[in-house]
Amino acid sequence: MIRFINKLTGTLMLVAPEREAEYRAAGHRPAAPEPPAPAARPAPAAKPPGAAPRAAKRPRSAARQKEG
Protein backbone atom coordinates (compact mmCIF):
# COMPACT_ATOMS: atom_id res chain seq x y z
CA MET A 1 0.00 0.00 0.00
CA ILE A 2 1.15 3.53 -0.77
CA ARG A 3 0.59 6.37 1.69
CA PHE A 4 -1.10 9.55 0.40
CA ILE A 5 -2.33 12.74 2.08
CA ASN A 6 -5.93 13.54 1.17
CA LYS A 7 -6.03 17.00 -0.48
CA LEU A 8 -9.40 17.91 1.10
CA THR A 9 -9.04 16.65 4.66
CA GLY A 10 -5.26 16.35 5.10
CA THR A 11 -5.67 12.82 6.48
CA LEU A 12 -3.51 9.84 5.69
CA MET A 13 -4.84 7.37 3.10
CA LEU A 14 -3.49 3.97 2.09
CA VAL A 15 -3.81 3.38 -1.66
CA ALA A 16 -3.26 0.22 -3.68
CA PRO A 17 -0.17 0.50 -5.91
CA GLU A 18 -2.22 -0.04 -9.09
CA ARG A 19 -4.29 3.10 -8.28
CA GLU A 20 -1.34 5.41 -7.52
CA ALA A 21 -1.59 7.31 -10.85
CA GLU A 22 -5.31 7.90 -10.31
CA TYR A 23 -4.76 9.45 -6.87
CA ARG A 24 -1.84 11.60 -8.09
CA ALA A 25 -4.03 12.88 -10.98
CA ALA A 26 -6.74 13.77 -8.45
CA GLY A 27 -4.26 16.03 -6.63
CA HIS A 28 -3.48 13.95 -3.56
CA ARG A 29 0.12 14.20 -2.28
CA PRO A 30 2.32 11.20 -1.52
CA ALA A 31 3.09 11.04 2.19
CA ALA A 32 6.62 10.87 3.55
CA PRO A 33 7.80 7.33 4.09
CA GLU A 34 7.14 5.90 7.51
CA PRO A 35 10.16 6.35 9.78
CA PRO A 36 11.88 3.16 10.92
CA ALA A 37 10.92 1.79 14.32
CA PRO A 38 13.20 2.98 17.13
CA ALA A 39 15.85 0.53 18.26
CA ALA A 40 15.09 -1.46 21.37
CA ARG A 41 16.65 -0.08 24.52
CA PRO A 42 19.24 -2.34 26.12
CA ALA A 43 18.32 -3.96 29.44
CA PRO A 44 19.72 -2.21 32.49
CA ALA A 45 22.95 -3.69 33.74
CA ALA A 46 22.72 -6.00 36.73
CA LYS A 47 24.25 -4.76 39.95
CA PRO A 48 27.62 -6.30 40.69
CA PRO A 49 27.73 -8.63 43.69
CA GLY A 50 28.38 -6.77 46.90
CA ALA A 51 26.92 -3.48 45.62
CA ALA A 52 25.38 -1.24 48.24
CA PRO A 53 21.57 -1.51 48.52
CA ARG A 54 19.40 1.41 47.47
CA ALA A 55 18.83 4.02 50.11
CA ALA A 56 15.46 3.78 51.84
CA LYS A 57 12.92 6.55 51.34
CA ARG A 58 12.88 9.21 54.01
CA PRO A 59 9.92 8.93 56.37
CA ARG A 60 7.29 11.63 56.12
CA SER A 61 7.41 14.39 58.67
CA ALA A 62 4.80 14.43 61.42
CA ALA A 63 3.17 17.55 59.87
CA ARG A 64 2.89 15.86 56.46
CA GLN A 65 1.43 12.69 58.00
CA LYS A 66 -1.41 14.72 59.54
CA GLU A 67 -2.25 16.27 56.11
CA GLY A 68 -2.33 13.07 54.10
Side-chain angles (χ1 to χ4, degrees):
M1 300 299 274
I2 301 172
R3 298 163 38 111
F4 274 89
I5 302 296
N6 186 300
K7 72 175 186 177
L8 298 175
T9 63
T11 56
L12 181 66
M13 304 184 297
L14 296 176
V15 176
E18 60 270 12
R19 299 190 66 191
E20 178 181 5
E22 177 185 343
Y23 277 79
R24 284 182 185 268
H28 302 294
R29 299 186 327 260
E34 200 167 327
R41 297 179 85 184
K47 289 186 178 180
R54 268 182 87 177
K57 288 187 175 181
R58 291 179 25 199
R60 298 176 82 182
S61 69
R64 295 276 300 177
Q65 287 177 353
K66 290 180 184 175
E67 292 175 5

